[in-house]
Every structure is written in structure tokens, then in C-alpha cells.
């Protein structure tokens, strides 16, 4: 499957925003949170389930999955398609446990 060149894209950080979730970003000066266009893109297409993979389990994957649950999506994380930073030993496992406790389905690898 190839993503068409004109497919919608969610861009973050191009104006200095930060944050780990695909659904939100934070102004680095004021700390104010703002949504990205991701939720709207998904809702406009009738999408109800989000599948999350990527880097890093204990940062972006966790933040995106938890935000998706919070705003009402069914969420799955593909355990064989993620990797943790593990700044502290076990950070990745704790992130998976937190996501599971919030209702994220962790698909085993």
C-alpha cells in the first residue's frame, strides 16, 4: 500500500510546537495545548478505531494512544511495531500497562 502524494498529512512542530501526541501540540512559550487536525481528519471519514505503532512506546505511542482513547476512539497498539526509549528500565512496560489500563488493546507481537 502506498500513500498517495496528495493524501492528508498532520504536521507538528513546524512553528516550534512540541508534545508527543499526534492529536495535540503544545506552545513552547505559553504551554497552551492545541489540537492538531488529526481528529477532524479521522472523524470526517467515519473512522472509529485507531491503530498506533512507531517510536517511542513510552512517549509518542503512549501519548497518541491515550489521547485517542480520551476523545472516544477504539485504540489498538501493535506491540511488534513499537519500541521504547526506556530512559529508566521498564519505562516501555509501564507505558504499555498504562495504555492497557486506559482501555487500549495491546496486540501481541
Amino acid at each position: 500500500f502506498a500513500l498517495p502524494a496528495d493524501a492528508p498529512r498532520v504536521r507538528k512542530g513546524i512553528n516550534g510546537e512540541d508534545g508527543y501526541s499526534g492529536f495535540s501540540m503544545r506552545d513552547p512559550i505559553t504551554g497552551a495545548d492545541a489540537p492538531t487536525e488529526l481528529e477532524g481528519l479521522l472523524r470526517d471519514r467515519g473512522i472509529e478505531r485507531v491503530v498506533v505503532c512507531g517510536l517511542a512506546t513510552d512517549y509518542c505511542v503512549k501519548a497518541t494512544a491515550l489521547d485517542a482513547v480520551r476523545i472516544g476512539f477504539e485504540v489498538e497498539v501493535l506491540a511488534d511495531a513499537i519500541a521504547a526509549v526506556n530512559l529508566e528500565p521498564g519505562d516501555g512496560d509501564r507505558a504499555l500497562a498504562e495504555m492497557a489500563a486506559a482501555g487500549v488493546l495491546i496486540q501481541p507481537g
Side-chain angles (χ1 to χ4, degrees):
F1 176 75
L3 189 62
D6 62 346
R9 288 172 174 73
V10 176
R11 299 192 194 298
K12 290 182 51 158
I14 57 175
N15 295 311
E17 310 91 355
D18 67 19
Y20 295 118
S21 174
F23 289 96
S24 63
M25 55 192 163
R26 182 175 22 267
D27 185 288
I29 297 170
T30 67
D33 285 326
T36 66
E37 63 272 14
L38 182 56
E39 180 181 4
L41 287 170
L42 298 174
R43 299 248 189 243
D44 288 349
R45 288 160 176 78
I47 293 170
E48 298 174 355
R49 181 175 56 98
V50 175
V51 178
V52 183
C53 62
L55 301 173
T57 308
D58 36 354
Y59 293 95
C60 299
V61 170
K62 179 178 87 168
T64 299
L66 292 177
D67 270 358
V69 166
R70 180 183 53 77
I71 58 179
F73 289 100
E74 293 177 36
V75 183
E76 295 180 34
V77 168
L78 305 178
D80 61 348
I82 58 176
V85 172
N86 280 324
L87 235 98
E88 297 293 327
D91 280 351
D93 290 336
R94 284 186 290 278
L96 288 170
E98 184 178 345
M99 288 184 276
V104 174
L105 177 60
I106 309 297
Q107 292 290 358

